[in-house]
Structures are given as C-alpha cells and as structure tokens.
Amino acid sequence: MRSFVLFCVFAAGLFALVSTSVGQASVPAPERACGAQICDRGAALREVYEGDPAHWPKAHLDADIEYVELGALERPELRRDDPVAQLGARLFDDPVLSRSGQFSCASCHSPDMRFTDGQRSSFGHDRQQGARNAPTLLDKAQQPGFMWDGSATSLAHQAMMPITNPIEMAADRALVEARLNADASYQEAFARVFGDDQITLEQVSEAIAAFEMTLYRTTRFDRFMRGEHQRLSDQQILGLHLFRTTGRCANCHMGPRLTDDDFHNLGLHFYGRSREDLGRYAITGDPADVGAFRTPSLRHVGETAPYMHNGLIPHLHGVINIYNEGGARPRPRGDLVDDPLFPETSDRLHELELTAEERSALEAFLRAL
C-alpha cells in the first residue's frame, strides 16, 4: 500500500509539473551555485579525475554489469560533404516525404533544438499526437539499435519508419517513390549517388541515415576528457564522481556514448491506465519486457528536455529526484492484482539518499555531457 500511495503522489506531482512546464521544457535551467563544502569536495577530487581514468575511484556497479568507462566520443568518419550525406540532408528537410506535403524529418528533429522538438511528444499527420518523445539525432553513428522499444535495427531502418507511420508523416512507398521519380532534380541526384534509374524508399532511408551519421557535437565533457580540464567546475567534478559512485548512474549510462544499449523498466509504463505503454514487450512478446524502454544516451541531455520515453518530466532535477527515490514503483490494484503481465520496476534502481546539494552537483555534471 505504501508503494502504491507513493506512486500516486509521484504521478500527481508529475502531471502538475507537465501541465505548467512542458511548453518551456527546451529552455535549459541555469546551473546552480554550490556551497563551499560541495565545491571543496569537488576540488579535492579534481586531481584524480584529471588523471588517467584507469586510476579513477571504482564505480559503484551491480555484480553483473560489464562496465565500459566514460570517455570522449570520437567524431564519425563520414562527413557532410559526402554525396550521399548531402542528398540525405536535402531529403531530411523536404516535406515531400510526408503524405500532406507539410512535414519533414526536421519538423520533429530541428537542428536549432539539438535535433529534437522540445515537445512532450510530437504532432504529426492531421495533428495527431504520438505517445513517445522525439529523441535527439546527435551522435548516433555508433548506436546499434533505435526507437524507444528497439523496433529499428539500423539508422536506415529508423529513417524509414516515421515516413510510413500513419501518426507521423503518414506516407507510403508508392506515394514517396512516385513523387521523387517525377522530380527531375531528384532523379539526377539519386542517379549520381546510387547509379539507378528508379528511386526507391530504401535509397531514401539510406541517404537520410548517411546524413544522420554526420550529426555530431563536441561537449564540455569531451573536451575535459581530451585534456581541457577547465571545462568542468569543481561542482561538476563532484557530479562526475557521484554519477559513477553513489548516484549509480554508470550502471546503465556508460562508455563514450553514455548508454548500455539495453532496456529497463523505470516504473513509468502506466500499465492498465490511459497512458499505458508496454515498451519493449510489443516487439519481443517477452513478459519480462513489459514497460521496458531503451536506455537513452545522456549526451546533450541538458539541452534536450523533456525526458523519458513519454516526455512527461520537463526538467533534469525532476529526473534526478525520481532516481533518488528509487524510481516509480506502482503496484497492481483491482482487476490488475492477478495480472501476470503487471511489470516490476528494475532492480537496478535503489533509493540513493543524495542530498539536495549533491543532486545539484549531479545535475551540473549532466549539463556538461
């Protein structure tokens, strides 16, 4: 009963935040100043974190974690002047790929907003609103799978799915191919790149994927890891330490891409309710996957609000507070009590007991990622 009551209180607070803040979610909050004690703790850790990561304090990890240490992400090899990427950039901005002729890929992944749209979930064809948040497309060249539920197995697969999704761009193969093959400039461009007389949807998605593979932004943390140690404040150094240790973030957010590429249930599935989303289960049919979603990369997380698969959390400090409480832990009630599919929140989540100043330090570090 206590867990259910806590979840209800959490949900009520969450909806209150959403109703007042989602419209401003894309505006990053200023970093909070740290007290002398917190800054002193960060300063004391600076020398070790400016050194070789092999000598950093041991990360606090569950026994089964195959950990990859944090690091700078290398720039992808493909450049935007590549002919396929140039064609993909043109297609990315062109509403010709949508049924109405009014939506492009950039409608939900704006370059001015770190290739997101700042909305809880995006609007598509006939003003339909999807159920999931549009993640950033930055730094995806090395990612092995895509979509919150892992339904896309490559960047090209991911690029094709919104075009034919009836809620998003709502086009189909015949419409897209007919339009592009009737356009002399596109015929010439595709023939030059692919050497074929007929343009196909597969070529379209391949070109868009090539463009998306070039989308890369260096972060303050990248620069810190490359030796520009002034890029992180003492407060952020402490945040880095907490991220790897008592904050337990590194259990799922690791390596240069800051993700384990796995799927976890944070208790935000709303099972049996109007906002229900079964997550990975819809793809695998495995009961263990009910309510599980892909671990997102934390790169650019400070500039890509709102958060979670459903975009219901408008601010980073709200995300941190949820993890500090050990996640949401809804319990079944009524007809759901004996439902074998009712999901359990991941045991990766623990109550953390971070102080308010520690949570602020963690948030400051996240804004450097």
Side-chain angles (χ1 to χ4, degrees), residues 52-102:
D52 187 338
H55 302 305
W56 286 1
K58 186 177 180 180
H60 293 196
L61 305 169
D62 292 339
D64 61 333
I65 295 292
E66 295 182 11
Y67 183 61
V68 178
E69 190 55 85
L70 308 183
L73 185 69
E74 297 302 319
R75 182 181 294 274
E77 295 181 2
L78 188 66
R79 299 180 61 85
R80 290 198 190 183
D81 56 5
D82 178 90
V84 184
Q86 288 182 327
L87 176 58
R90 178 182 173 186
L91 290 163
F92 189 87
D93 286 329
D94 198 337
V96 71
L97 301 182
S98 66
R99 178 180 172 184
S100 65
Q102 297 177 351

Side-chain angles (χ1 to χ4, degrees), residues 36-293:
Q37 182 180 12
I38 289 291
C39 285
D40 287 348
R41 287 173 63 187
L45 290 163
R46 177 172 288 279
E47 183 176 358
V48 66
Y49 276 104
E50 288 182 351
D52 187 338
H55 302 305
W56 286 1
K58 186 177 180 180
H60 293 196
L61 305 169
D62 292 339
D64 61 333
I65 295 292
E66 295 182 11
Y67 183 61
V68 178
E69 190 55 85
L70 308 183
L73 185 69
E74 297 302 319
R75 182 181 294 274
E77 295 181 2
L78 188 66
R79 299 180 61 85
R80 290 198 190 183
D81 56 5
D82 178 90
V84 184
Q86 288 182 327
L87 176 58
R90 178 182 173 186
L91 290 163
F92 189 87
D93 286 329
D94 198 337
V96 71
L97 301 182
S98 66
R99 178 180 172 184
S100 65
Q102 297 177 351
F103 292 96
S104 70
C105 302
S107 297
C108 298
H109 299 280
S110 170
D112 292 334
M113 301 187 73
R114 289 294 192 267
F115 291 90
T116 66
D117 62 4
Q119 300 295 315
R120 179 181 64 78
S121 58
S122 302
F123 289 93
H125 184 71
D126 282 344
R127 197 60 181 169
Q128 297 177 88
Q129 187 171 20
R132 294 177 181 170
N133 177 255
T136 179
L137 294 178
L138 288 173
D139 304 336
K140 302 301 182 185
Q142 301 173 31
Q143 188 166 310
F146 299 87
M147 303 299 188
W148 284 102
D149 56 13
S151 53
T153 56
S154 68
L155 260 178
H157 188 192
Q158 169 272 324
M160 185 184 297
M161 292 176 73
I163 297 173
T164 58
N165 187 306
I167 295 179
E168 298 184 56
M169 298 170 79
D172 58 38
R173 174 184 295 274
L175 177 63
V176 171
E177 292 180 351
R179 285 179 178 175
L180 295 178
N181 279 296
D183 185 314
S185 64
Y186 268 126
Q187 280 189 322
E188 179 182 354
F190 273 86
R192 185 168 57 250
V193 169
F194 292 103
D196 294 330
D197 294 334
Q198 290 294 310
I199 300 170
T200 67
L201 188 57
E202 284 76 16
Q203 292 171 344
V204 170
S205 62
E206 183 177 339
I208 293 174
F211 166 66
E212 291 176 343
M213 288 180 68
T214 71
L215 302 179
Y216 167 85
R217 297 287 189 279
T218 301
T219 68
R220 279 184 284 170
F221 183 65
D222 290 328
R223 296 185 186 279
F224 174 84
M225 293 302 297
R226 291 170 182 155
E228 298 180 31
H229 294 139
Q230 77 282 3
R231 295 286 180 171
L232 294 190
S233 67
D234 290 342
Q235 183 189 34
Q236 289 170 323
I237 293 288
L238 176 60
L240 165 59
H241 179 68
L242 294 169
F243 185 97
R244 298 180 63 260
T245 57
T246 53
R248 292 181 49 81
C249 309
N251 276 274
C252 298
H253 298 282
M254 63 182 75
R257 292 193 302 107
L258 294 161
T259 174
D260 61 359
D261 292 310
D262 206 347
F263 300 86
H264 303 284
N265 176 6
L266 307 182
L268 301 177
H269 44 74
F270 292 91
Y271 188 88
R273 304 182 183 202
S274 60
R275 294 183 181 272
E276 177 185 271
D277 192 329
L278 300 181
R280 182 68 172 160
Y281 172 77
I283 306 303
T284 66
D286 184 346
D289 288 335
V290 176
F293 296 88

Side-chain angles (χ1 to χ4, degrees), residues 4 271 329-339 342-344:
F4 176 71
Y271 188 88
R329 297 187 179 274
R331 309 311 309 169
R333 60 177 178 172
D335 294 342
L336 300 180
V337 170
D338 297 320
D339 189 334
F342 196 94
E344 292 286 338

